[in-house]
Amino acid sequence: MWALAWRNVWRHKARSIVTAGAVAVVVIFTLVFFSFTQATKTGMMEVLTNDFGHLQVKSARAKDAQDFDASLLRGAAELEAALLEELPGVRMARVLEVPALVSGETRSRGVLVIGLKQDPTLRERFELEYLAAGRLPSPGSLDEIALGEALARTLHLDIGDPVYVFAPGTEGWGASAYVLVGILKFPQASYEGKVAYLSLEGAQELAAPGAVTRFEVHLGAGRGVPREEEIHRVKERLTSVLGAGVSVETWREASPDLAAILDLMDPAMVVFSFFIFVLAGLLVVNTIYLGLVERIREFGVMIAVGADRWRVMRMIFAESLVLVLAGSAVGLAVSGVCIAWMSRGVAFPGLDEALAEFGLPAVLYPSVTLQQVAITMAFTIATALLAALWPAWVAGRLQPVEAMRHVA
Amino acid sequence: MKPILRAVGLTKVYGSDGVSTPALRGVDLEVLPGEFTAIVGPSGSGKSTLLHILGCLDKPSSGETYLGERRTDQLDPVSSARLRLQEIGFVFQAYNLIPVLSALENAAFVLELRGVPKKVREEKAMQALEALGIADLAHRRPNQLSGGQQQRVAVARALAAEPQVILADEPTANLDSQSGLSLIELMKRLNVERGMTFLFSTHDPRLLEHVTRIVRLEDGRVVSDERVNAA
Ligand SMILES: Nc1ncnc2c1ncn2[C@@H]1O[C@H](COP(=O)(O)OP(=O)(O)O)[C@@H](O)[C@H]1O
Ligand SMILES: [Mg+2]
């Protein structure tokens, strides 16, 4: 039966090649798009988690209360020790955010002063990505500051200039003078205009001795994304160890908007590819139907010599499957090669900044999951079966005598 | 002897666009096993209609048909397809064969529909092609065969399936007289050597030398029915 279907399909070479080709193109489109959404998803998540960690440990009161005091995790040293005992060797950033007034000689601005103490690999990456000039404040330094470039420009400040920071009403000194040692550049211009970085110790001395706003916990090492379940397991463990008063959030909980966008990408792709499959399906209907009407007599003879309605319908379905599967085999092969080649990294020269604005890395690593391939294959098979439905119904109702008298 | 095929009071009226054409007006006929019967009559006399109804390809307007003991005029499409598949062989005037299949595959087609394994059915099909003297053409496609050769493949397809009876509707109509004659001679040989029952229509009087019985149709009625050349 399959051999017969195969030969019948290739009776009209040009028409079948066009149709199978359309199926192949749709499969390629779908898989390549899937691979890019996958790359975008992991890329965005990496960019986000590179900056903010996979998990954040915060004060439980931070959510409801807006004031500075409520946002603080006191006894940071003990918390850190407990954290490291639970997750030995994990990479961490300790962050203390202080709303403050920053002044140069002539101007001042309300900004977020961020005290930052990162483990070496995190610090290196931060430096590489964001440092535009000078250096970061040395670890433990009490009198060095780095400013976002836009902020430095607004304040007419240059490296080496003195910078004054006021954080009145806090538990620390409340005011202090620093030397500008570094200029930072961030992809989001608005962020760049309102941040200043100190060492953690510098920020603690200024506003909150012994406290942090959050710990950012980075799981795994290097490229590659830890699995959601693992992140969740770690969250459960930390929550039970660190006790009340402390809340542990996954990156999803910390950035719900982005998480929602990432979660929507696959369904959006499925809907999109559904529509292009419908278009290919119409072409398949046309090809199979024409193949039927051109061969009405032949079907008449087959029915006359004993093929029943179900057999005839199966023949039509077989032809549709052969046609569509031939196309999708080609599509799978081509997109397999394409994606394998692209998975080594695709860069978009000249578009880096635009990508960064959207929270994307400069290099994307397209790949497809088994599930995405399965969805694509399910679509092709469904296309073949649905496209054959109507021609099969027509063929199943043929009367042998009439069909044999049919003049094409 | 019990008849293989039987028609009782068969009528058929074709109706389309308000015009009704009576094609059969009360035909009674019994075909006995081993007969080699020709249905003759002018064009439009109802030969094809009769063969179609006897072969369960079409339904009569009234009357009854039987295959052996079994009544066949009221079967649903699936049962009548099964009956044709298992019990009846067909040879039509033209376009008998499936163009994408070789002569051998065409000859094996009915057996394939029956689900006979490939090896067995190709063996039987090959034997049938041999019986019809075209074994050497087994791997040609229909468009590489002459009209006479194509009709032989069609007979081989019926033969390979070993049906109770082979119905042939003007099998020689599209052939030159020489190939027409030799096709009938081959059919006759199968009839004599294997006892195959044949019922075929023709309007070529020269083919009637070999038959054992001639049924003459005119205007949808049997006007004569004579046994000749008694074997
Ligand atoms: N499908 C049909 N619709 C209408 N009339 C038909 C149809 N088939 C046959 N007829 C008519 O029935 C009569 C008998 O036709 P047919 O059985 O084909 O005769 P024969 O085979 O002897 O030439 C003719 O008058 C023919 O026109
Ligand atoms: Mg006729």
Side-chain angles (χ1 to χ4, degrees):
Chain A
M1 184 165 84
W2 296 107
L4 180 61
W6 176 261
R7 291 185 210 168
N8 276 323
V9 161
W10 298 115
R11 240 150 111 174
H12 273 276
K13 277 212 182 59
R15 190 168 70 203
S16 294
I17 286 174
V18 167
T19 308
V23 172
V25 167
V26 166
V27 167
I28 294 168
F29 253 61
T30 303
L31 286 176
V32 167
F33 273 125
F34 260 137
S35 75
F36 270 97
T37 49
Q38 194 63 23
T40 307
K41 272 162 59 179
T42 39
M44 284 179 132
M45 180 190 164
E46 263 177 34
V47 166
L48 182 82
T49 54
N50 278 348
D51 282 348
F52 300 111
H54 299 104
L55 291 155
Q56 297 194 355
V57 177
K58 295 181 183 174
S59 155
R61 292 193 300 141
K63 250 202 199 101
D64 321 311
Q66 290 297 315
D67 59 306
F68 176 65
D69 187 57
S71 74
L72 292 179
L73 272 177
R74 294 170 194 289
E78 294 84 69
L79 278 174
E80 181 173 334
L83 228 155
L84 282 174
E85 192 174 334
E86 189 58 30
L87 301 171
V90 81
R91 295 174 305 153
M92 258 200 299
R94 303 105 186 126
V95 181
L96 176 58
E97 290 180 345
V98 184
L101 188 74
V102 172
S103 298
E105 291 299 335
T106 53
R107 296 179 172 210
S108 48
R109 278 284 180 281
V111 304
L112 195 62
V113 171
I114 300 173
L116 192 56
K117 181 178 175 190
Q118 296 166 303
D119 286 347
T121 55
L122 301 177
R123 184 177 162 91
E124 275 165 34
R125 187 166 60 205
F126 186 88
E127 198 171 338
L128 202 68
E129 267 173 38
Y130 301 128
L131 187 66
R135 55 180 177 81
L136 296 178
S138 327
S141 151
L142 299 181
D143 55 7
E144 294 175 353
I145 195 168
L147 300 183
E149 191 182 48
L151 179 62
R153 231 181 305 120
T154 320
L155 298 179
H156 299 311
L157 288 172
D158 249 321
I159 288 182
D161 289 345
V163 181
Y164 308 98
V165 179
F166 304 95
T170 58
E171 300 158 21
W173 293 94
S176 195
Y178 303 88
V179 179
L180 181 56
V181 295
I183 301 291
L184 301 167
K185 219 167 153 36
F186 295 97
Q188 301 87 353
S190 60
Y191 185 74
E192 197 183 287
K194 58 182 191 203
V195 284
Y197 280 80
L198 300 174
S199 72
L200 177 70
E201 291 78 0
Q204 285 177 332
E205 185 204 53
L206 175 71
V212 297
T213 313
R214 63 175 180 268
F215 294 101
E216 297 171 353
V217 180
H218 295 254
L219 302 176
R223 208 167 73 77
V225 176
R227 294 162 18 102
E228 299 280 329
E229 302 90 80
E230 193 197 332
I231 296 177
H232 248 272
R233 256 201 320 278
V234 174
K235 172 187 160 146
E236 303 289 309
R237 273 163 59 195
L238 288 185
T239 307
S240 69
V241 170
L242 299 179
V246 174
S247 99
V248 182
E249 286 181 352
T250 66
W251 66 271
R252 292 185 154 271
E253 292 160 332
S255 316
D257 294 349
L258 185 75
I261 289 174
L262 297 188
D263 287 345
L264 266 177
M265 288 174 88
D266 263 355
M269 260 310 298
V270 169
V271 170
F272 170 71
S273 62
F274 172 82
F275 281 109
I276 56 177
F277 267 106
V278 167
L279 292 184
L282 291 177
L283 214 53
V284 177
V285 173
N286 178 62
T287 300
I288 297 298
Y289 186 72
L290 285 181
L292 167 65
V293 294
E294 287 163 358
R295 291 184 287 134
I296 291 280
R297 267 198 193 161
E298 223 172 295
F299 277 97
V301 170
M302 293 194 285
I303 295 167
V305 300
D308 66 21
R309 157 188 310 172
W310 309 118
R311 165 65 81 144
V312 170
M313 292 171 86
R314 282 213 302 278
M315 288 180 186
I316 299 283
F317 279 113
E319 285 179 22
S320 183
L321 278 170
V322 162
L323 181 67
V324 169
L325 291 182
S328 64
V330 171
L332 269 184
V334 172
S335 42
V337 170
C338 284
I339 293 168
W341 176 71
M342 291 189 303
S343 68
R344 288 182 286 167
V346 184
F348 300 88
L351 284 178
D352 308 23
E353 306 226 336
L355 289 175
E357 192 77 36
F358 285 106
L360 278 165
V363 181
L364 291 175
Y365 298 90
S367 69
V368 281
T369 63
L370 215 57
Q371 193 195 15
Q372 290 165 335
V373 176
I375 289 175
T376 311
M377 288 292 86
F379 268 162
T380 58
I381 291 170
T383 302
L385 296 180
L386 290 175
L389 219 49
W390 178 57
W393 186 77
V394 171
R397 285 164 34 99
L398 288 177
Q399 298 297 317
V401 177
E402 276 171 41
M404 284 190 295
R405 292 162 62 105
H406 183 88
V407 258
Chain B
M1 212 167 1
K2 289 202 174 128
I4 286 187
L5 285 175
R6 193 148 70 91
V8 182
L10 222 50
T11 72
K12 177 73 177 180
V13 180
Y14 289 107
S16 57
D17 312 329
V19 191
S20 60
T21 319
L24 296 178
R25 311 170 188 248
V27 170
D28 298 290
L29 183 69
E30 292 190 352
V31 176
L32 300 178
E35 281 191 311
F36 193 71
T37 308
I39 301 176
V40 298
S43 185
S45 56
K47 305 183 293 293
S48 298
T49 305
L50 177 60
L51 285 172
H52 291 158
I53 292 175
L54 284 172
C56 299
L57 287 170
D58 205 352
K59 289 202 161 56
S61 303
S62 70
E64 297 161 14
T65 57
Y66 296 85
L67 178 78
E69 303 282 296
R70 184 159 174 205
R71 185 154 173 191
T72 54
D73 54 276
Q74 286 176 339
L75 296 174
D76 61 78
V78 171
S79 313
S80 61
R82 189 179 315 131
L83 194 80
R84 295 194 299 272
L85 179 62
Q86 300 296 343
E87 315 285 359
I88 306 173
F90 289 95
V91 180
F92 302 102
Q93 186 174 326
Y95 307 110
N96 265 295
L97 305 180
I98 299 169
V100 292
L101 299 182
S102 69
L104 183 65
E105 290 164 330
N106 265 292
F109 185 73
V110 172
L111 295 173
E112 185 185 354
L113 288 180
R114 284 187 196 164
V116 174
K118 187 171 164 120
K119 230 177 108 108
V120 179
R121 69 178 187 247
E122 298 211 325
E123 210 166 281
K124 287 195 171 178
M126 201 60 190
Q127 284 166 7
L129 291 178
E130 271 162 21
L132 285 143
I134 46 171
D136 52 328
L137 306 178
H139 297 290
R140 295 214 189 157
R141 294 274 175 96
N143 61 6
Q144 302 167 314
L145 299 172
S146 72
Q149 290 165 341
Q150 291 182 26
Q151 290 302 74
R152 289 193 208 186
V153 175
V155 176
R157 175 179 65 201
L159 179 67
E162 297 169 351
Q164 295 203 33
V165 55
I166 295 178
L167 304 179
D169 190 10
E170 307 213 29
T172 62
N174 285 2
L175 306 182
D176 60 70
S177 54
Q178 188 48 48
S179 0
L181 197 61
S182 65
L183 185 73
I184 297 295
E185 279 167 356
L186 278 166
M187 284 163 53
K188 177 65 183 173
R189 226 181 61 213
L190 297 172
N191 167 252
V192 172
E193 289 173 6
R194 311 188 182 200
M196 292 274 359
T197 309
F198 281 89
L199 178 61
F200 69 99
S201 65
T202 180
H203 53 241
D204 185 347
R206 282 172 305 164
L207 301 178
L208 301 179
E209 286 175 40
H210 300 280
V211 303
T212 56
R213 182 178 174 190
I214 301 173
V215 175
R216 189 170 300 276
L217 276 188
E218 260 170 46
D219 249 355
R221 285 196 190 86
V222 177
V223 293
S224 78
D225 181 354
E226 39 184 337
R227 293 198 155 75
V228 291
N229 311 330

